[in-house]
Amino acid sequence: MSIPDAPAPQDLEVLLPRTPGALADLGEALGRAGVSLEGGGVTTLDGGRVAHFLVDDGPRALAALAAAGIGPAVARGVVTTRLAQDVPGQMGTFARRLADAGVTVEHLYSDHDGNLVLLVADEDVPRCRDVVRAWDAERATTREAHPGR
C-alpha cells in the first residue's frame, strides 16, 4: 500500500487590517481549522499589513479565513532550499544566481526548520527550481568534501 504524497507547502498571503487583534483572529481561525503555520511573518507596507505564512494545506487555510471574514487571501506554491548559515555571503551568492537566471524574488522568509522559502512569479518558478536544484547539488558536493559544512 502506498502512502499518498503530502501536499506541497504553500505561501499564504493575507491582507490584514492594521488593528489590534487582526493577527490573533488569523491565527485562531487557522488553528480551529487545523492549519499549522510553519514559518513566515507580517510586515507593514504603505499603511497596510501583509502576512506571509508557510502552510501545508492552502485550500483549507483559505476556506478557514473566508469563513472567518479575514482577507483577502491567496495561497501560492513556493520553492525552498537551504543556505549554509556559517558561510558569509550565501544570500548574495544565491540571489545573484537567481538574478542571472532572470528570477525576481517577490518574497522570502525562513521556515521553522531553517529552510529558505522563496515566493516568485509563476512564470519564474521553473527557472527558480533549476537554480535551486543546482544549488542543492553543489551544497551536497561541498558537504561531502567538507563534512560539518
Side-chain angles (χ1 to χ4, degrees), residues 42-53:
V42 179
T43 190
T44 301
L45 181 65
D46 296 330
R49 292 184 354 165
V50 181
H52 281 271
F53 287 104

Side-chain angles (χ1 to χ4, degrees), residues 7 68 88 93-94 130 138 149:
T93 301
F94 179 69
D130 288 344
E138 184 178 314
R149 198 171 243 195

Side-chain angles (χ1 to χ4, degrees), residues 36-125:
S36 178
L37 302 178
E38 302 301 327
V42 179
T43 190
T44 301
L45 181 65
D46 296 330
R49 292 184 354 165
V50 181
H52 281 271
F53 287 104
L54 190 65
V55 297
D56 61 0
D57 192 334
R60 184 185 314 167
L62 291 173
L65 295 178
I70 298 170
V74 63
R76 294 182 36 212
V78 298
V79 179
T80 63
T81 192
R82 290 190 69 83
L83 301 179
Q85 298 300 317
D86 60 336
V87 179
Q90 285 280 287
M91 177 58 78
T93 301
F94 179 69
R96 178 58 55 207
R97 290 183 188 182
L98 289 171
D100 290 347
V103 176
T104 300
V105 175
E106 294 181 2
H107 197 79
L108 72 87
Y109 52 91
S110 295
D111 69 10
H112 295 159
D113 292 324
N115 295 303
L116 188 66
V117 178
L118 299 150
L119 184 63
V120 301
D122 292 341
E123 62 271 11
D124 288 350
V125 169

